[in-house]
Amino acid sequence: MVGVEKCGDAAVPTVGIYPNPSDGNFILSFSGDPEQVYSTEVYNAQGQKLYLSKGFQSMLDLSDRAPGVYFVNVEMDSKTVNLKVVVK
């Protein structure tokens, strides 16, 4: 779920999301400084952007969306994390 990856001597923050699958309410956890996050985005399986938040978003509510697979991208200073979530 969440941890810290080592990259040389520096720790690279990681992102986790739970519960997964869920009824549409998800919690994002981040092991680093939230100021390092530029944006949090959600896409459907067809690649359409459904949600954009500048900065770190700790909770996502997709309960108004149809059941299926969605993709969450968290863009940081050092990398972009892509997560897959399932709405039941």
Side-chain angles (χ1 to χ4, degrees):
M1 181 172 41
V2 174
V4 176
E5 297 174 13
K6 294 293 274 183
C7 182
D9 290 333
V12 178
T14 59
V15 179
I17 192 164
Y18 62 93
N20 192 11
S22 123
D23 62 0
N25 291 298
F26 297 93
I27 297 172
L28 278 130
S29 56
F30 184 61
S31 67
D33 177 4
E35 295 294 318
Q36 295 175 336
V37 177
Y38 292 127
S39 66
T40 305
E41 302 171 332
V42 177
Y43 294 86
N44 65 15
Q46 291 74 40
Q48 298 168 312
K49 188 184 296 184
L50 304 176
Y51 178 80
L52 168 66
S53 171
K54 298 294 182 186
F56 181 68
Q57 182 68 37
S58 62
M59 298 189 74
L60 294 174
D61 183 359
L62 302 177
S63 61
D64 62 336
R65 300 292 175 171
V69 176
Y70 295 85
F71 300 92
V72 178
N73 295 340
V74 179
E75 187 176 341
M76 297 179 261
D77 291 341
S78 58
K79 66 179 180 175
T80 299
V81 174
N82 304 300
L83 303 164
K84 180 170 70 171
V85 296
V86 177
V87 175
K88 300 190 266 185

